[in-house]
Amino acid sequence: MTAPSDKMLVRAVFAGDKAAYGKLYDRYAPLVRAVCYDEAGNLADAQDLAQDVFMRAYENLDNLRDPDRFGRWLIGIARLRCKEWRRRSSYRRVANVEVDDVEPITADPQDNGRLEQLRRTIATLPERERLALHTFYLQGRSAEDARRTMGLSRSGFYRALERARQQLAALLVQEREDSL
Amino acid sequence: MKKLLDNDLKEMYGAFGRDHDRLKQTLMASLPDGAARRGQRRGLAHTRRFLQGTIMRNRITKLAASGVMVIAVIVCVNQFGGSIDGASVLYARVRESIENKPWIHATHTIRGEKALCGEEWFSFERKIAIGIEDTGKIQYSDFYSQKRYDYLPMPGTITISQIKEPPSFFEAKTPIELCKRVIELKQADGAEFSQNLIEQDGKTLEIWEVTRSEDTGSEKIKLFIDTEEYLPIVAEVSHADHTGKTTYQGTIEFEYPEIGPKDIYELGVPKDAKVVYFKDPGPEVINVAAEYDKRRRQLGDFRALTIYTSANNKSQFTILEYLPSKNKRRHTTSRVIADYDSKSLDELAEALISDSWLVLLDAKSRVFPTEYLPNNIVLLVPKMVDAFSDYYVGEWKILTSDDHELSNKVECQLKRHTRTGVYLQTWCFDPENDYWVSKYTLDVLESYEVQEDNAVVKQQYEVTAFDKTISGHLYPSQIVQQRASTNQVVQRRYYIYLEEAIHAQDVDRAFIERALKTLLQPK
């Protein structure tokens, strides 16, 4: 059985089916967390930000013009939410307000250092390449879904993905050489 | 390295799914019930306001000629009163059915004097309205982004402009106020609404009829509604002149497809069409225009008699009544009299009054601003504020200004791209002369029409003398018009007599005699 499209799920939400929103959450939450991680730099904040993003999206679903583009719209909200978060974080740092609340960027205890380094290196990639990696690895359905979420053509998506891999490999080699 | 990297990436990205179920549970528990649905309903209000504005901008003669207009009538019919019960279950269902359809596609075919074909797309969900004319002109309005895209096949441009809220046409500041004005207008026009049920091929159809009459004739829209789907199927429209003769009739058919055009290019607009961006008038322009408008309205209702003499010694006399107190309606009528200077005042007055001329003045030309405005009175009415309507969207700017004091001359300029060409209009306000427009120019910067040798390239009106009314209000009493064409310049002189219409009477013989005496006396 094919999975319901984003459009069908969005319409179901409008019809009052909250569970349909749960399915959209399953589909996009890891991707949104990854986008938020690029900004926040730690998983806990990324998870919190992602929850905010989904809440905001639900409240503003009537502003979604094309339900087929739910994923792209959601990423847009995530970017916006992250910018707000960054502004507030920098304000708190500058004003020295509740410094204790600002979590230092530390490795997740469940990660090993190698994965943490990988995650940080990805965060340094250009946005398009970074997003290509996120969507490819986190949109579990297909590369077609991933490229749709990014709003790219098939060839454009693969080019971005390939560039991301090459740049990532080069950065990792560089970092390893620097650490030696 | 590649394989290793791929494995690492998969492992790393796995972390973003951590605690997913718990986080989902938390989120789902905190979602408000039906919030999204309520939001969707709120979103419709804006589109309804657009429809009310659409009705307002299109007077009776244009009402029937578009599917969007018919939809506008359905969605806004309860604003008008009449015998269709706006609170009835059927009405509510029809309205809901229309609003819930992803797309409405209407095609219209009108035969007769106003023969035209075209189509419209409309989506409440996406807040999109599209009109396509058989000339190839396309207007794509996106109410979500508040942008309007106008495609003109000739010269092949897409103009992008900001959509305005339903207009300040009657100075309405709120949607409710606007609706009140619409109701007043429709009632004044004698709109009647009725509904009937008929059986056809075993199906029950509801018929809604909207009939409106005015001096020039009457118009009828007959809308057939499927009572099972609660959707309009077809509308019949017709118009008859005042003798009862049909001037045009036609049909509008409605379909409700799932998918519609996603942008203007999907409607066949070439990708390489030149894009032109238009800017709305800024606050400084609006302030100047408002000041000008306010001053003009202080004059109140007025009537004027103007004369211009052409080279062949035939003079045109025009009588104008400008009545802002009656919804800005104005009455004008003109008459040509040969060799007027060889006639006595009595003879002239008699000539002007003969042939039921004054009766005609009352009966004809009940038009709104910007339509059929005679050139010679272009400086007499607050036309610039009218120009803020959608039709005059363009690049506005103040050319000269001595800011707050407005002690120097102020010039406002508008550059417009239209289907016939690019025009530059300039209004020069004169604060020393009670903010009358002392100079107005219209430059044809570019013309897309086939030009004759003598095509006008520039028109200029300049006030050369001011006078005072009996009550002491200043007004322009002499205007020089200059029309420059490709190979000659023609100059005309207008003489104007103006007085306040203090007494709500029609133009009478005494007014004409007073006006002629003033205008024809040796200076």
Side-chain angles (χ1 to χ4, degrees):
Chain A
M1 202 176 111
T2 49
S5 67
D6 287 358
K7 184 178 181 175
M8 287 163 73
L9 290 173
V10 169
R11 289 228 168 137
V13 177
F14 279 137
D17 180 4
K18 253 167 73 170
Y21 198 68
K23 287 180 184 152
L24 287 167
Y25 182 87
D26 291 340
R27 193 169 286 174
Y28 288 104
L31 175 61
V32 172
R33 285 178 207 135
V35 170
C36 294
Y37 181 90
D38 293 339
E39 193 64 52
N42 70 79
L43 200 56
D45 279 343
Q47 285 175 341
D48 287 349
L49 285 169
Q51 296 294 89
D52 275 1
V53 169
F54 275 94
M55 181 59 89
R56 196 175 285 192
Y58 185 76
E59 286 167 351
N60 292 284
L61 206 54
D62 60 311
N63 290 332
L64 172 61
R65 292 168 60 203
D66 185 352
D68 264 339
R69 296 185 180 185
F70 177 79
R72 280 173 73 181
W73 180 68
L74 199 64
I75 288 170
I77 296 176
R79 285 193 187 121
L80 199 69
R81 180 67 190 91
C82 287
K83 275 183 191 161
E84 286 172 8
W85 180 86
R86 188 174 50 190
R87 271 201 305 272
R88 282 179 200 166
S89 299
S90 58
Y91 164 74
R92 285 191 296 186
R93 279 195 291 273
V94 171
N96 201 21
V97 179
E98 297 175 22
V99 175
D100 290 347
D101 285 353
V102 184
E103 251 181 62
I105 299 172
T106 53
D108 190 292
Q110 293 180 48
D111 278 346
N112 58 39
R114 183 173 49 86
L115 294 185
E116 179 56 30
Q117 186 199 8
L118 184 58
R119 209 176 283 150
R120 285 189 194 179
T121 311
I122 289 172
T124 64
L125 291 176
E127 188 171 24
R128 177 179 282 213
E129 280 73 26
R130 201 168 63 219
L131 204 55
L133 279 176
H134 293 342
T135 50
F136 183 75
Y137 285 98
L138 291 170
Q139 287 262 266
R141 292 182 297 165
S142 67
E144 178 63 17
D145 289 330
R147 73 137 194 106
R148 271 167 169 270
T149 304
M150 282 191 68
L152 292 178
S153 66
R154 190 184 293 259
S155 59
F157 175 73
Y158 279 112
R159 271 203 305 274
L161 191 62
E162 194 48 39
R163 265 200 313 272
R165 282 183 172 139
Q166 284 170 359
Q167 288 178 26
L168 193 57
L171 281 168
L172 288 171
V173 168
Q174 181 70 42
E175 281 180 21
R176 276 170 201 168
E177 283 174 357
D178 289 349
S179 65
L180 288 174
Chain B
M1 176 74 187
K2 193 175 176 185
K3 181 78 183 163
L4 190 68
L5 181 62
D6 201 44
N7 288 338
D8 278 357
L9 284 168
K10 279 179 186 162
E11 193 183 342
M12 184 214 77
Y13 276 114
F16 293 115
R18 199 174 293 156
D19 288 339
H20 180 83
D21 291 342
R22 180 183 63 79
L23 292 166
K24 181 182 175 184
Q25 209 174 5
T26 313
L27 178 85
M28 298 307 284
S30 55
L31 291 180
D33 282 333
R37 187 176 171 77
R38 280 200 303 277
Q40 177 77 352
R41 308 312 302 167
R42 277 199 303 275
L44 296 176
H46 186 278
T47 319
R48 286 201 198 104
R49 283 205 301 278
F50 154 70
L51 288 171
Q52 288 153 11
T54 305
I55 289 180
M56 278 189 52
R57 281 193 297 273
N58 292 271
R59 297 262 303 149
I60 181 167
T61 49
K62 293 181 188 169
L63 176 66
S66 107
V68 168
M69 289 304 299
V70 174
I71 295 160
V73 169
I74 299 163
V75 176
C76 302
V77 74
N78 64 340
Q79 308 287 357
F80 302 136
S83 58
I84 290 178
D85 180 2
S88 76
V89 174
L90 177 73
Y91 170 74
R93 282 191 175 174
V94 170
R95 183 163 153 169
E96 192 178 2
S97 296
I98 287 178
E99 291 181 349
N100 283 336
K101 283 288 172 190
W103 284 97
I104 304 162
H105 182 214
T107 43
H108 61 261
T109 313
I110 309 291
R111 297 171 299 280
E113 283 176 15
K114 288 180 187 292
L116 58 100
C117 296
E119 58 180 299
E120 291 86 28
W121 289 86
F122 207 87
S123 174
F124 279 88
E125 187 180 277
R126 291 158 201 243
K127 300 173 191 158
I128 301 276
I130 303 166
I132 305 165
E133 292 180 8
D134 51 2
T135 57
K137 185 188 168 190
I138 298 174
Q139 188 178 89
Y140 187 107
S141 302
D142 181 340
F143 294 92
Y144 180 80
S145 63
Q146 292 281 293
K147 283 199 174 121
R148 202 178 86 187
Y149 305 80
D150 287 284
Y151 171 67
L152 297 174
M154 181 66 203
T157 53
I158 302 170
T159 55
I160 303 178
S161 53
Q162 197 73 19
I163 294 175
K164 294 175 182 63
E165 281 294 309
S168 55
F169 205 50
F170 295 117
E171 295 84 41
K173 299 283 192 304
T174 67
I176 291 172
E177 195 181 341
L178 191 71
C179 291
K180 279 184 187 166
R181 306 255 181 178
V182 173
I183 292 165
E184 284 165 15
L185 177 66
K186 302 303 159 193
Q187 284 172 342
D189 276 344
E192 289 176 16
F193 300 89
S194 65
Q195 60 191 138
N196 299 300
L197 277 173
I198 61 158
E199 291 286 332
Q200 194 171 316
D201 302 330
K203 255 187 151 179
T204 305
L205 293 177
E206 174 102 1
I207 300 175
W208 290 359
E209 270 189 52
V210 184
T211 312
R212 295 205 283 173
S213 301
E214 61 179 11
D215 298 339
T216 53
S218 64
E219 187 170 56
K220 186 187 278 187
I221 301 171
K222 209 169 178 182
L223 187 65
F224 295 80
I225 292 161
D226 182 331
T227 52
E228 286 171 14
E229 297 270 341
Y230 300 105
L231 287 171
I233 307 164
V234 69
E236 290 175 0
V237 296
S238 60
H239 181 268
D241 65 17
H242 65 284
T243 65
K245 184 187 158 202
T246 301
T247 49
Y248 65 84
Q249 60 183 355
T251 54
I252 303 167
E253 291 178 12
F254 296 93
E255 298 172 306
Y256 304 92
E258 281 293 309
I259 298 169
K262 72 173 181 198
D263 56 35
I264 197 163
Y265 298 107
E266 277 206 355
L267 296 161
V269 172
K271 292 267 185 194
D272 58 354
K274 187 185 169 195
V275 175
V276 181
Y277 290 90
F278 277 164
K279 286 182 186 164
D280 285 334
E284 72 281 17
V285 178
I286 290 172
N287 289 343
V288 169
E291 182 68 21
Y292 166 55
D293 194 45
K294 193 174 85 189
R295 301 282 176 141
R296 297 288 64 76
R297 287 181 200 289
Q298 278 171 1
L299 185 58
D301 294 354
F302 66 80
R303 61 174 64 132
L305 195 150
T306 72
I307 306 176
Y308 83 79
T309 308
S310 58
N312 59 6
N313 207 25
K314 282 188 177 177
S315 296
Q316 181 163 312
F317 289 73
T318 301
I319 291 184
L320 153 80
E321 276 195 331
Y322 183 71
L323 307 173
S325 61
K326 294 185 181 176
N327 283 345
K328 287 199 211 174
R329 279 168 189 247
R330 59 170 71 90
H331 308 197
T332 58
T333 187
S334 298
R335 183 177 165 83
V336 174
I337 296 173
D339 302 325
Y340 84 90
D341 50 358
S342 66
K343 291 181 168 59
S344 68
L345 282 182
D346 278 350
E347 283 173 320
L348 264 179
E350 197 56 50
L352 289 177
I353 291 163
S354 65
D355 301 334
S356 306
W357 193 46
L358 295 181
V359 177
L360 279 176
L361 175 67
D362 196 38
K364 72 174 232 185
S365 301
R366 287 169 182 246
V367 294
F368 265 73
T370 74
E371 292 182 77
Y372 318 121
L373 190 64
N375 282 336
N376 58 336
I377 57 164
V378 76
L379 301 186
L380 289 185
V381 293
K383 193 169 184 285
M384 202 184 105
V385 170
D386 300 337
F388 287 137
S389 66
D390 276 357
Y391 181 70
Y392 278 74
V393 78
E395 299 159 38
W396 286 91
K397 59 182 169 186
I398 299 259
L399 293 182
T400 53
S401 164
D402 194 12
D403 56 54
H404 314 301
E405 298 301 320
L406 292 175
S407 57
N408 284 339
K409 290 191 169 147
V410 183
E411 285 182 29
C412 282
Q413 199 172 72
L414 167 67
K415 188 178 176 186
R416 282 202 301 144
H417 292 244
T418 74
R419 71 167 73 191
T420 55
V422 184
Y423 302 93
L424 192 69
Q425 288 168 270
T426 310
W427 291 262
C428 182
F429 300 92
D430 187 354
E432 286 169 15
N433 284 301
D434 200 22
Y435 286 89
W436 280 99
V437 172
S438 58
K439 194 164 153 189
Y440 166 78
T441 54
L442 173 68
D443 291 272
V444 183
L445 300 182
E446 205 174 330
S447 179
Y448 307 136
E449 293 180 315
V450 179
Q451 293 291 296
E452 293 169 10
D453 288 346
N454 219 12
V456 173
V457 291
K458 182 174 183 134
Q459 283 198 64
Q460 179 177 298
Y461 295 85
E462 188 164 8
V463 178
T464 52
F466 284 92
D467 216 332
K468 283 190 174 172
T469 65
I470 296 167
S471 307
H473 282 112
L474 205 71
Y475 73 92
S477 58
Q478 277 187 43
I479 297 171
V480 175
Q481 181 203 21
Q482 198 160 288
R483 285 163 63 93
S485 60
T486 39
N487 50 16
Q488 67 170 329
V489 177
V490 179
Q491 204 178 70
R492 276 179 181 160
R493 211 166 263 276
Y494 294 90
Y495 300 91
I496 299 159
Y497 173 81
L498 187 146
E499 67 180 36
E500 295 90 345
I502 298 164
H503 309 292
Q505 298 169 357
D506 287 334
V507 178
D508 55 16
R509 188 185 181 110
F511 164 74
I512 290 173
E513 285 177 350
R514 269 198 310 279
L516 290 175
K517 203 170 172 183
T518 309
L519 292 174
L520 302 178
Q521 71 184 350
K523 300 279 180 188

